[in-house]
Amino acid sequence: MTARLDHRNPLVFDTHELGRRPGALQRQTRTVDAPKDLGIQKVVGVPEGAPVELDIRLESVMEGVLVTGTARAWAEGECVRCLEPLQLDVEADFQEMFSYPDADDRGRVHHAEPGDDAEDDEDRLFLEDGLFDLEPVLRDAVVLALPMQPVCQEDCPGLCAECGVRLADDPDHHHDAVDIRWAALQGLADSLEPGDKDDKSGAEPGVDEKQEK
C-alpha cells in the first residue's frame, strides 16, 4: 500500500520500530504546533501555532496499534456571560485503534475481494505503511475537553440586562425599579410648567359660581 502520509508532519507517527509483536510498547513525547481550527469554532479553541504537548503510548495488538495519550495546551475564547476574553488550560485524553490494513477485527490477515462490504471500515482508522496521523484523534479529544459555554470565572455575574455594564467591575451597580404603570404619568408631570400644574389641579373658572346659582 503506498503511503499517503508525510512522515515530516509532526502529527504523523511511525510505528515501524514498535513491530507487530502483540504486547510490544513504546512511549513518545512530542511538542507540536496546534493545527488550524483546533477547538469549537467561534466559542473557544487552541490558537493556530500554539504549543501542544503530546504524551502518547503505542501498544502493538493483534489487529493493529492501540494509541493512548494526553494532549496539553492552552485555549482562548470569550466568556459567555460578560463577553470578556479568557484563557484556560486544556488537558485532553484520547485512545484510538489504528488497524493494520491487511487484518480483520480478530487480527487475522485477509485479502479484500471485489464486492466486499466496506461499511464496517468507514469508522475505522488504518495504518498507512506503518504511519498514522494523530490529527483527527487530537481534534475530537480537544473538542470534548473544552467547555461548550466557557466562563472567565465560575461565579461571573455577567452584564447588566438594562445597560450592559460588567457587573464584576461594579458589584453595587443597580437600577431603581420604576412601575411602568406610573411611568407615563411621571413623564407627563415632568413636562408641565409649575403654572400649568396649578391650573390643571384646580377647578375651571366660574364653575362654583354656576353651581351656586
Side-chain angles (χ1 to χ4, degrees):
M1 182 176 181
T2 303
R4 297 188 301 273
L5 298 179
D6 185 353
H7 69 277
R8 295 170 296 182
N9 183 334
L11 285 172
V12 171
F13 289 78
D14 192 334
T15 67
H16 284 100
E17 292 185 6
L18 180 68
R20 294 185 62 161
R21 181 174 59 85
L25 295 173
Q26 186 181 62
R27 292 185 181 276
Q28 294 192 32
T29 58
R30 186 179 297 184
T31 300
V32 302
D33 293 339
K36 185 179 180 180
D37 298 329
L38 181 59
I40 306 172
Q41 291 190 12
K42 299 182 180 181
V43 179
V44 62
V46 180
E48 182 178 3
V52 179
E53 297 178 2
L54 299 175
D55 183 3
I56 70 173
R57 185 186 73 171
L58 310 180
E59 181 180 359
S60 179
V61 295
M62 289 293 293
E63 62 268 31
V65 176
L66 180 64
V67 180
T68 306
T70 302
R72 298 178 182 86
W74 55 272
E76 293 180 345
E78 185 179 84
C79 178
V80 296
R81 297 178 186 170
C82 68
L83 307 182
E84 286 293 309
L86 59 79
Q87 288 189 357
L88 52 89
D89 294 327
V90 183
E91 183 170 309
D93 297 323
F94 53 85
Q95 185 174 73
E96 188 64 56
M97 171 67 69
F98 289 86
S99 302
Y100 297 125
D102 59 352
D104 61 15
D105 292 337
R106 297 182 181 180
R108 298 175 302 190
V109 175
H110 75 287
H111 300 282
E113 298 293 340
D116 282 353
D117 189 356
E119 291 183 1
D120 294 339
D121 293 341
E122 291 182 356
D123 297 328
R124 296 174 64 187
L125 297 177
F126 290 90
L127 293 168
E128 296 182 12
D129 194 24
L131 305 176
F132 69 85
D133 185 2
L134 190 65
E135 183 172 336
V137 177
L138 177 64
R139 288 187 179 281
D140 290 345
V142 169
V143 168
L144 291 175
L146 289 171
M148 293 295 294
Q149 295 185 321
V151 292
C152 58
Q153 54 189 24
E154 291 299 327
D155 58 348
C156 175
L159 303 176
C160 174
E162 293 190 36
C163 66
V165 167
R166 187 169 182 261
L167 298 178
D169 297 333
D170 186 4
D172 297 327
H173 179 80
H174 70 281
H175 293 270
D176 294 331
V178 177
D179 191 329
I180 60 174
R181 294 173 297 179
W182 296 102
L185 293 177
Q186 183 63 44
L188 177 61
D190 293 341
S191 66
L192 295 176
E193 296 294 334
D196 294 336
K197 293 180 181 179
D198 294 340
D199 293 342
K200 290 185 176 294
S201 61
E204 294 181 3
V207 169
D208 293 338
E209 295 179 0
K210 293 179 180 179
Q211 289 178 347
E212 291 178 359
K213 293 180 180 181

